[in-house]
Amino acid sequence: MNRTSAPVGAPAAGAWEGLVTTALLGTDRRSTPGAGPGPEAPVALLDAAAVETVRRRAGLRPARAAERPRPAPEDPRPPLPPAAARRLAMLLADRPGVSGGGRRGAAPDLMELLPQWLAAANARGFAPPPQVLPALLDAARGRTDLRPPVLEFAGPRALWLARLNPDWRFALRSAPGGGAALPHLEDDDTVRRLWQEGLFAERVALLSALRSRQPSAARDLLATTWATERAEDRLMFLDSLRSGLGPEDEAFLEQALADRSRNVRATAAELLSALPGSALAGRMAVRAEACVAVDRTQSTPAIAVEAPHECDPGMERDGVVAKAPAGRGERSWWFGQLVEAAPLATWSRRLGGRTPREIVARPVADGWQGELHAAWCRAAVRQQDAEWSRALLGEPSAPEAGGPGAVSLAERAKLLGTLHADERAEWVAGFIATHGLSEAFQLLGVCAVPWAAPLGRAVVDALNIARDAGSYPWSFSGVMGLAERCLDPSEAGRLDALLAVPDEPESASPGAGGYWAESFQRLATTLRLRAAMAEELGAP
Amino acid sequence: MTQQGVRWTTDQVLALAPDAASRKAGSKLGTAGPWTEAGSSDEGTVWGLCKGSGSKPYQTVVDIADASGPAYKCSCPSRKFPCKHALGLLLLWAGGGGAVPEGKAPEWAAQWTAGRRERAGVKRAGGSPGSPSGSADPEAARRRAERRAERVTAGAVELEQRLADLVRGGLATAEQSGYGLWEETAARMVDAQAQGLAGRVRELGVIPSTGPGWPVRLLEECALLHLLGQGWLRRERLPAGLAATVRSRIGLPASADGPPVRDRWLVLAQYDTADARLTTRRIWLYGAGTRRTVLLLSYGVAGRAPEPALPVGLTLEAEVCSYPGAGQPRVALGERFAPPAPARIRPQGVTTSRAAARYGDALRDDPWLESVPVTLDRVIPTPDRDSWQLADADEDAALPLTPAARSRPGLWRLVALSGGAPVRVFGECGHQGFSPLTAWPDGPGEAVALC
């Protein structure tokens, strides 16, 4: 309280100061104000100090008010339903590390459900109760992946709050100007001024916002200052053209092929090759076709490959990197880049009007199959070609854990990304049914949440088989964790039979049955919790 | 009385937890997964089997019918009370959703409940066990009290001597002599059965290490201790109310013998402070009719939650009895007439100037008072250099927050709730500043606990 405003009519603060000084030095050295020295001096001092203490306390008054903070902006969104607000408080109370790690037991991992909860709440457009903002910001502070959904949900008051607490400064960085600084995109003058005078982050935000609504306007805006941008900035801006890429971007990208920066050239070439109708794609098709032919001298016609002998300046201009990485032959390196950048439609024409599936099934002479198929995979991903992806993935139940073309799990995951969600789920379900779960983690990661019914069933069945095989559940903790977050809550009923502790076969690891039951209990509990969460938020 | 049909709120259940770890563990068990054969009966019994780490599930029963608070029984080995299983079961029950259906209690649950109620009935019939003096020989009790008073007097005289020695030699020496000197003095006060003096002496030992300005604080506390000792030595000459205050400040036992006051009591705040041996729980209540703010104090040994647990924002229809002493807010909870229920009552608020004046007035009855309970109306949490204050929205006046309140997470909940707009805040207002405990938004909205 305000110590400086002394009580009315006090015999001045001096009296108290005198008492403190005497007490500090001792009554043997300094006499008590208003009392003589002697054996009674300490008691006299304490008496006087007691009176002064109570007097000082009783006379306290409020201080002057400091400058009050500016009010937080209004949040127009409707408030959370009460049940959802309670759930949120419970999710936020479950901080990792509080319980000291270790085995997870049968209880759900609440913090892992927070991203889903936030996505649902954001989809419904609810505003948080203001008093949970500190806990939300603390959660986002510890986990960068949570920041975008948390900041969207937390709304304008969170930014207001973050200005008052240095712990939450990240919120101001993550949202330049709080997202509110972006002008109306129809207002050409303001857009132009922000583009010319804004900070780098603001300009990137402006460009991507504009690109998502009017792709050509964004490209034209970029063209106005292109020549004067720094190389790193050119690269970032060029990359933002990736979304909404279309044939009308070709002219701009074609001139970027002559850029001073090699990285900018490479990116421009990559974008152009994703446009099958572009001139660059045509040039690459001609080059690639020259390397591939059908060899009819064999009993079954095979594909023959003759890799390029040199990397000419034209190729380099079109984005082919001349220097091969260590350990790779330069001819196969160049060849891979040509095939990757050539439109896939080239091959049906070149190889006799066949379907991708037939082409992929063809043998390839002289051990070129790996190189050729890998390049087709990259092309299918780049050109988002579902038919070629399907052909390269092959049948999910094919032996040796792979189709005819697919090389690695990572590549397969990317190819799956070009397929429709249902088809993707079905393919992964088939893969798991044949090959089990040990390699499925990466593939499951590209499947849409919640998992489609056949996929969910395949995962549960495979977990059941893994349990019967007698291993410990933590070999599958990754898939288990995914299942907790991604399995459709309506599947919870299918787990009922798995919740009990099974009889232990002799071959099983000791105690595994109990741990499995615990894992399945956690899975079932988590699914019920997710169903409750969705219901509380009024999700359809 | 029974509470059939009245399901508790989740907050109400969580407030029963003895500590944060139990609250968290209980929350995790508050889902259907680990539970089987759970149910609840009309008579106010909730039961269930909880899957634990062993092969046999734990049997958990809670009897919620008793108005004096729930009773628990669980076959788990935990020494927490209530254990996480009891908390989880109550959460599951409170959450609704059909996981704890109505039904008839199984044999094992019914048996325990029946036995417990029988015992409780016998106890009630046998008179209140809380007043041992009623049955003992009054003459013997008087002699015991006299002997104790003599020991306290001896302790007070000794303490006065030590304080005089300290002031004679100078407080500056206290900084060098350190904590040991005070520990020894405190132990002497414990021997003298003057717990109140012992506690104050222990706090004196800490002051020299609290940073700049410690001589002022040390002199204040020494002077107040001297005042208390003198008050005890001359208690016969004090007015009755002040003498009672001195007795309770010294640490002599007292019983809540004031007349029972029935009201609808709003739970303003509940918070626990703990040291190595003891958890102290403070619950502030506000009477809707009497407009009095009273304090329930309860204690629990480490690991056990003090009883009762009353969630902020609920109202209970009950009688309370005051403890003796002028201006003392402490009461004991008497009969409860209905289980706690949500209510829209808010305490009336005052300005910061009124709040400061109220503290000053209260010192007349109890000069050792650290703070008084106050509700501030229309204040704005305002940053003030590296600290915070609660500034009146309509006047140029503000109360600074206490140093402890500045570092509590509740501060940020308060700031977030306000968003720069006026809020109503209940808290403790004293010479160190204001310690906010509960807040309400200016418009409609529930109470937000800050502690």
Side-chain angles (χ1 to χ4, degrees), chain A residues 454-475:
Chain A
L455 177 58
R457 240 167 271 146
V459 172
V460 173
D461 289 348
L463 285 170
N464 195 6
I465 290 167
R467 176 183 72 161
D468 292 345
S471 53
Y472 282 116
W474 38 86
S475 319

Side-chain angles (χ1 to χ4, degrees), chain A residues 1-3 16 19-20 22-29 38-39 42-43 45-47 49-50 53-54 56-72 86-87 90 93-96 98-99 103 106-110 130-131 133-134 157 160-161 164-165 168 501 518 521 525 528-529, chain B residues 10-11 14 24 27-28 31-34 51 53 91 163-164 166-172 214-216 219-224 226-227 230 352-353 356 359-360 363 367 369-370 380-384 388-389 391-393 395-400 412-413 415-420 429-433 448:
Chain A
M1 231 163 275
N2 196 346
R3 286 290 193 196
W16 172 248
L19 290 173
V20 174
T22 306
L24 203 51
L25 297 173
T27 51
D28 281 353
R29 295 191 193 82
V43 176
L45 173 73
L46 285 169
D47 282 347
T53 299
V54 178
R56 275 156 48 87
R57 290 187 178 181
L60 288 170
R61 286 195 224 148
R64 303 286 302 262
E67 193 191 342
R68 297 176 181 91
R70 252 196 296 171
R86 276 197 297 277
R87 179 75 58 191
M90 208 180 259
D94 188 54
R95 294 284 179 69
V98 176
S99 65
R103 212 161 57 81
D109 193 345
L110 297 180
Q131 63 270 24
L133 291 177
R157 187 171 289 207
W160 176 89
L161 201 56
L164 296 168
N165 187 339
W168 300 326
V501 181
E518 200 173 78
Q521 280 165 14
T525 311
R528 287 207 186 87
L529 201 61
Chain B
T10 309
D11 292 340
L14 287 175
K24 186 179 153 81
S27 303
K28 291 199 165 189
T31 47
K51 171 89 184 65
S53 46
L91 282 173
L163 286 174
L166 175 70
V167 173
R168 189 175 295 122
L171 298 180
W214 67 265
V216 169
L219 179 58
E220 282 179 345
E221 291 308 319
C222 286
L224 288 174
H226 166 71
L227 188 64
Q230 288 296 321
T352 55
S353 312
Y359 173 64
L363 288 176
L369 200 60
E370 288 289 312
I380 301 172
T382 300
D384 179 20
W388 285 80
Q389 52 174 223
D392 267 309
E395 280 175 30
D396 181 20
L399 291 174
W412 291 104
R413 285 205 291 279
V415 175
L417 181 71
S418 148
C429 177
H431 63 95
Q432 291 199 310
V448 174

Side-chain angles (χ1 to χ4, degrees), chain B residues 249-290:
Chain B
R249 289 276 171 199
I250 289 274
L252 293 184
S255 54
D257 49 11
V261 179
R262 179 170 174 166
D263 203 342
R264 292 175 64 209
W265 297 100
L266 169 69
V267 183
L268 284 175
Q270 166 180 318
Y271 66 99
D272 295 350
T273 47
D275 61 24
R277 289 158 301 169
L278 203 64
T279 306
T280 307
R281 172 167 292 175
R282 287 179 175 79
I283 300 178
W284 286 108
L285 299 174
Y286 174 80
T290 57

Side-chain angles (χ1 to χ4, degrees), chain A residues 304-320:
Chain A
V305 171
E306 178 69 23
H309 290 274
E310 59 163 351
C311 181
D312 60 43
M315 278 162 72
E316 278 203 70
R317 185 180 172 278
D318 283 347
V320 177

Side-chain angles (χ1 to χ4, degrees), chain B residues 356-381:
Chain B
R358 213 173 260 188
Y359 173 64
D361 285 344
L363 288 176
R364 258 204 290 245
D365 288 329
D366 181 357
W368 300 277
L369 200 60
E370 288 289 312
S371 61
V372 291
V374 177
T375 303
L376 299 175
D377 195 20
R378 292 184 56 73
V379 286
I380 301 172

Side-chain angles (χ1 to χ4, degrees), chain A residues 176-376:
Chain A
L182 277 188
H184 282 292
L185 298 176
E186 290 75 36
D187 184 350
D188 283 343
D189 287 339
T190 332
V191 166
R192 203 160 289 268
R193 192 171 329 121
L194 183 62
W195 178 248
Q196 277 160 1
E197 297 166 9
L199 301 169
F200 177 68
E202 290 170 334
R203 303 180 69 206
V204 170
L206 174 67
L207 192 64
S208 4
L210 194 57
R211 179 74 177 173
S212 65
R213 262 163 265 185
Q214 306 167 48
S216 46
R219 189 193 58 241
D220 295 342
L221 185 67
L222 177 56
T224 57
T225 57
W226 179 254
T228 57
E229 304 286 356
R230 298 182 311 153
E232 314 81 283
D233 296 358
R234 286 203 302 279
L235 186 63
M236 281 294 284
F237 292 143
L238 195 60
D239 207 61
S240 60
L241 297 188
R242 205 177 283 276
S243 73
L245 189 66
E248 56 285 355
D249 294 319
E250 191 186 344
F252 180 78
L253 293 171
E254 187 71 34
Q255 57 87 27
L257 282 177
D259 199 89
R260 295 185 300 279
S261 153
R262 201 181 55 160
N263 287 332
V264 172
R265 291 199 300 272
T267 303
E270 188 199 328
L271 292 176
L272 278 170
S273 67
L275 297 172
S278 69
L280 176 131
R283 294 195 293 274
M284 293 307 251
V286 171
R287 293 184 187 116
E289 272 180 277
C291 303
V292 178
V294 182
D295 178 1
R296 298 190 187 278
T297 61
Q298 313 282 321
S299 53
T300 47
I303 297 174
V305 171
E306 178 69 23
H309 290 274
E310 59 163 351
C311 181
D312 60 43
M315 278 162 72
E316 278 203 70
R317 185 180 172 278
D318 283 347
V320 177
V321 178
K323 187 165 162 39
R328 283 202 68 172
E330 27 179 40
R331 288 184 59 199
S332 72
W333 169 245
W334 297 329
F335 171 70
Q337 294 181 78
L338 294 183
V339 174
E340 181 182 351
L344 284 161
T346 313
W347 304 110
S348 296
R349 200 173 60 237
R350 172 73 182 153
L351 301 173
R354 290 171 194 277
T355 64
R357 198 174 288 272
E358 287 164 333
I359 294 172
V360 170
R362 280 252 169 120
V364 181
D366 303 328
W368 277 98
Q369 172 166 334
E371 200 69 56
L372 181 61
H373 283 184
W376 276 340

Side-chain angles (χ1 to χ4, degrees), chain B residues 47-80:
Chain B
W47 64 88
L49 299 178
C50 184
K51 171 89 184 65
S53 46
S55 57
K56 202 163 176 289
Y58 296 125
Q59 296 179 332
T60 312
V61 207
V62 185
D63 183 2
I64 50 161
D66 199 329
S68 66
Y72 322 92
K73 167 89 174 123
C74 183
S75 59
C76 76
S78 167
R79 272 185 286 178
K80 295 278 179 68

